[in-house]
Amino acid sequence: MVTSILPLKLEEATVRKGGSRILGPLDLTLDGEGCTILLGPNGAGKTTLLRLLHGLDRTSGGQARWATPREEAYLRQSFVFQSPVVMRRSVRDNIAYPLLVRGVGRKEARERAVEWIAHVGLAGADDKPAQILSGGEKQKLAIARALIIKPEVLFLDEPAANLDGTSTRDIEALILRAARAGTRIVMATHNFGQARRLADDILFIYRGRIHERGPAKEFFAGPETKEAETFIKGDLLL
Amino acid sequence: MNDLSAGVMAAFGLIFNLDHNLVEISLRSLAVTFSAIAIASLIGLPFGAWLAVTRFRYRRVTIAILNALMGLPPVVVGLVLYVLLSRSGPFGVLNLLFTPTAMIIAQTILILPIVASLAHQALRELWFQYHDLLISINTSKWQRMGALLLDGRRSLLTAVLTGFGRGIGEIGAIMIVGGNIDHLTRVLTTAIALEVSKGNFPLAIGLGIVLILLAILINIAIHILSRTEREGTW
C-alpha cells in the first residue's frame, strides 16, 4: 500500500481576493475516513475552502500541506464542481480523460470509462456528445470522471445544487458508495437534508472562519454556537 | 457590362475546356497557399493555444502585436523578403528569389499572425470553460494545450480557413518575391494582374471568377469533410 496523502493540514491559512480577506486565518486537519460536510450560508467561504484544499486557490498567508509531496497528492484527489464542466467530447472520452492525463493507454482508459458509465447510470450514452446531456447526467459524468482515478480524497462543491429529487438521490448514492469504498469525502452544501443524510462530521463555516466542527449527530442534536443553531432551525442567518 | 459578361463567358470557356494554362496556374496557386497554410497552422495553432494557457509578463503586449500583425501590408512583406532573398541580401546564397518557395515563405508570414490570433481568441473562450477542470485533473501545460486544440478544432477550422482566404487572394507579396514568371511562379492573382495590364479584361475577369469559385469550393469541401454544423453545437 502506498503511503496516504492524508492528513492534510492547514496552518493559519488565509485567502484574499481583491484586497479583502474571504477566508481564514484557519487551522484545520483533515484525516481519517468518512464524509465531512461543509455547511454554511452563501458567501461564507465554503467554495473557497474547498478550492484551497484542492489546490485550485492558493493561500495568501499561512500554508496548506499534504502528508506527501504536493505533486503526488494532486494526482490522488478529484474535484466535482457545482456546475459540471464537460469537455467537448463524447461521454466516454470525457470520463477517460483523467486516465489519459496520467499516462494510461487509450484502449484501457476507454474500457474503464465504459465500466464507469454503467456504474453511474449513464448506460448507452457512451458515444453521445457530453454537451447534450441533461444537468443531472452531466453531474453523474463529472462524478464518474472524478472517481475513475480511484482518488483518495474527493471534493464536491454543492454537486446537487441545481438538480431535482431523482438526480440528487442518484448522486448521493454514488457519493455514499465512494465513501464506503474508502474514499475520503469533503463536500460543501447548504442543503440540510443532504447534510443529515451524508455527513459523518460537520464543518460549520461562517464569515470565512470555521465556526464549529463536530460529529454530525452531535451537531444536529445541539450545536454549540448560536449561529449554527439559527442556521439549523432554518432561520435566516444574516 | 460588356467586359463582365465576356468575362463570365471566358470563365466558362476556360473551365469547360480545362485550359492547360489555367489548370497549371490554379494548381500552383493552391500548392503555394496550401503549403503556407500548413506551415502557418503547424506553428500558429499551438502558439495560439500556448498564449491561451500561459500567463507571462508581456502577454498583453504579445497579443496586441499579434493582432496588429494580422493587417500586415503584403507589399511591405514582399519587399522586405525581396531584400533579404536577393543576391546581395543575407539569404542570397539560398537562391530562393523568384521561386515558389519564396512565395510560400511570404504567404506564411502573412497568414501566421491571422491563424495564431484567431486560434488564440477561440481557445481563450474554451480555456475559460476548462480552466478549473484541467487544473483539477493535474494536467501539464502540454496536455492543456492538447485538450484545447483537440476540443476546439471546429473553431480552429475557421481560423485556418480565414488564413487560407487571405493567402489564395493575395498578390502584393507573391508578385514581388515570385516575379510572375510563366510556368514557374505565375499564379491566379498575378495572372489576373498581368491580363489587366495588357488590357485583356475578359480573360482577367474570367480568371477572377475561377479564383472565387476555387475558394468557395475549397471552403465547402473542408466543411463537409469536417462535418461542421452537423453534430450538435460543437
Side-chain angles (χ1 to χ4, degrees), chain B:
Chain B
M1 270 321 281
N2 251 350
D3 280 343
L4 265 186
S5 49
V8 174
M9 294 309 293
F12 274 112
L14 287 170
I15 294 169
F16 283 113
N17 295 326
L18 272 182
D19 181 87
H20 184 70
N21 276 326
L22 175 77
V23 173
E24 188 196 314
I25 60 175
S26 298
L27 287 179
R28 190 171 298 118
S29 262
L30 288 179
V32 167
T33 302
F34 271 134
S35 309
I37 197 71
I39 300 169
S41 299
L42 227 54
I43 304 169
L45 298 181
F47 183 64
W50 182 83
L51 265 184
V53 302
T54 314
R55 295 289 172 270
F56 56 98
R57 191 149 173 214
Y58 297 107
R59 180 166 180 272
R60 289 166 66 109
V61 180
T62 308
I63 292 167
I65 291 175
L66 197 59
N67 288 339
L69 290 181
M70 286 210 287
L72 218 52
V75 179
V76 178
V77 170
L79 190 59
V80 171
L81 203 57
Y82 183 98
V83 171
L84 292 176
L85 295 180
S86 67
R87 275 292 156 80
S88 54
F91 301 106
V93 285
L94 299 175
N95 256 331
L96 286 176
L97 198 59
F98 305 132
T99 64
T101 308
M103 296 156 73
I104 292 170
I105 296 172
Q107 292 213 336
T108 304
I109 295 170
L110 289 171
I111 294 172
L112 183 57
I114 295 177
V115 172
S117 181
L118 293 181
H120 164 248
Q121 282 170 36
L123 297 181
R124 189 178 51 184
E125 309 273 315
L126 193 59
W127 175 237
F128 185 72
Q129 275 178 43
Y130 280 14
H131 180 272
D132 282 353
L133 177 71
L134 293 191
I135 290 176
S136 165
I137 291 176
N138 205 36
T139 47
S140 68
K141 177 179 282 187
W142 296 110
Q143 289 168 332
R144 289 170 198 173
M145 287 168 56
L148 290 185
L149 288 170
L150 186 65
D151 291 359
R153 58 190 180 278
R154 312 255 163 160
S155 22
L156 295 180
L157 191 66
T158 312
V160 171
L161 287 178
T162 308
F164 174 79
R166 161 102 160 171
I168 195 81
E170 188 274 324
I171 177 164
I174 51 172
M175 181 67 110
I176 296 181
V177 298
N180 191 25
I181 302 167
D182 204 7
H183 303 303
L184 184 60
T185 60
R186 181 161 301 166
V187 292
L188 278 168
T189 51
T190 57
I192 292 172
L194 179 67
E195 296 307 327
V196 169
S197 66
K198 288 199 298 197
N200 194 350
F201 286 96
L203 186 56
I205 289 172
L207 288 170
I209 291 172
V210 171
L211 177 60
I212 292 170
L213 285 178
L214 210 59
I216 293 175
L217 220 68
I218 298 282
N219 271 272
I220 291 175
I222 290 176
H223 272 293
I224 289 173
L225 286 176
S226 64
R227 295 195 283 175
T228 20
E229 314 297 333
R230 285 182 63 191
E231 289 166 30
T233 51
W234 51 6

